[in-house]
């Protein structure tokens, strides 16, 4: 089983959406993947996702209302095979706290989308509700690309 952790700033918008999208896509593809999400910050630990994230997920037939935010832990770098940041700032923060012996591979989500390498999934938290749909679309594309790169590697094991 491949384990993937998605990380954004507060774990209430983008990373729970990524977790949910990967669950759906992996299930549909029959992929043996375990996923979770976390934030680099601790402001929202224990809280549910932002109501707008819950709404956009529900509009796409996915229920994330039961998710609860958590902060990344140094143990996650060995518990997961891949830790995927939603933006460059969080990727930089992950690199700074990653133990030298960690097994997890770090990446930026949109690096898995041809032509979008190096781009951030824009944080919709401070913007209009429509930003959550844009985030959903960007995250969906990134998850599709990520799943495509992981599945061939997993079948070779």
């Amino acid at each position: 089983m491949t384990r993937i952790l998605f990380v954004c700033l507060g774990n209430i918008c983008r990373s729970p959406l990524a977790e949910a999208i990967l669950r759906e896509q992996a299930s549909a593809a029959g992929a043996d993947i375990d996923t979770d999400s976390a934030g680099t910050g601790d402001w929202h630990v224990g809280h549910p996702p932002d109501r707008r994230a819950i709404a956009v997920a529900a509009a796409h037939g996915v229920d994330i209302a039961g998710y609860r935010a958590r902060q990344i832990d140094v143990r996650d770098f060995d518990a997961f095979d891949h830790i995927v940041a939603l933006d460059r700032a969080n990727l930089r923060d992950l690199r700074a706290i990653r133990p030298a012996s960690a097994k997890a591979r770090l990446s930026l989500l949109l690096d898995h989308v041809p032509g979008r390498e190096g781009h951030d999934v824009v944080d919709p938290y401070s913007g209009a509700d429509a930003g959550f749909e844009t985030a959903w679309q960007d995250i969906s594309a990134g998850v599709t690309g990520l799943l495509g790169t992981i599945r061939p590697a997993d079948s070779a094991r």
Side-chain angles (χ1 to χ4, degrees):
M1 173 180 296
T2 300
R3 300 196 71 221
I4 301 170
L5 178 68
F6 293 101
V7 179
C8 68
L9 188 59
N11 192 215
I12 60 166
C13 296
R14 297 170 293 167
S15 58
L17 291 176
E19 176 186 352
I21 292 167
L22 180 59
R23 282 185 201 284
E24 294 294 310
Q25 287 190 16
S27 177
D32 193 14
I33 293 176
D34 180 41
T35 187
D36 195 3
S37 61
T40 54
D42 65 355
W43 314 279
H44 302 292
V45 170
H47 296 156
D50 183 284
R51 65 172 175 73
R52 298 163 296 173
I54 292 171
V56 77
H60 289 275
V62 180
D63 181 8
I64 64 168
Y67 288 20
R68 293 296 175 263
R70 73 176 187 90
Q71 187 175 23
I72 189 155
D73 185 283
V74 71
R75 293 171 294 197
D76 289 327
F77 290 92
D78 283 320
F80 290 89
D81 302 297
H82 301 272
I83 298 179
V84 182
L86 279 286
D87 62 49
R88 289 170 289 175
N90 284 293
L91 182 59
R92 185 176 51 250
D93 291 344
L94 290 169
R95 286 181 175 143
I97 64 170
R98 182 180 190 253
S101 63
K103 77 169 190 175
R105 288 178 231 135
L106 298 179
S107 67
L108 185 64
L109 182 61
L110 291 180
D111 281 351
H112 300 280
V113 179
R116 305 278 312 270
E117 298 89 346
H119 291 131
D120 297 339
V121 173
V122 176
D123 189 349
Y125 183 74
S126 297
D129 291 1
F132 283 83
E133 179 61 33
T134 300
W136 178 276
Q137 296 304 323
D138 286 348
I139 293 166
S140 293
V143 167
T144 298
L146 175 65
L147 188 57
T149 60
I150 289 172
R151 294 277 330 265
D154 289 344
S155 62
R157 289 182 188 178

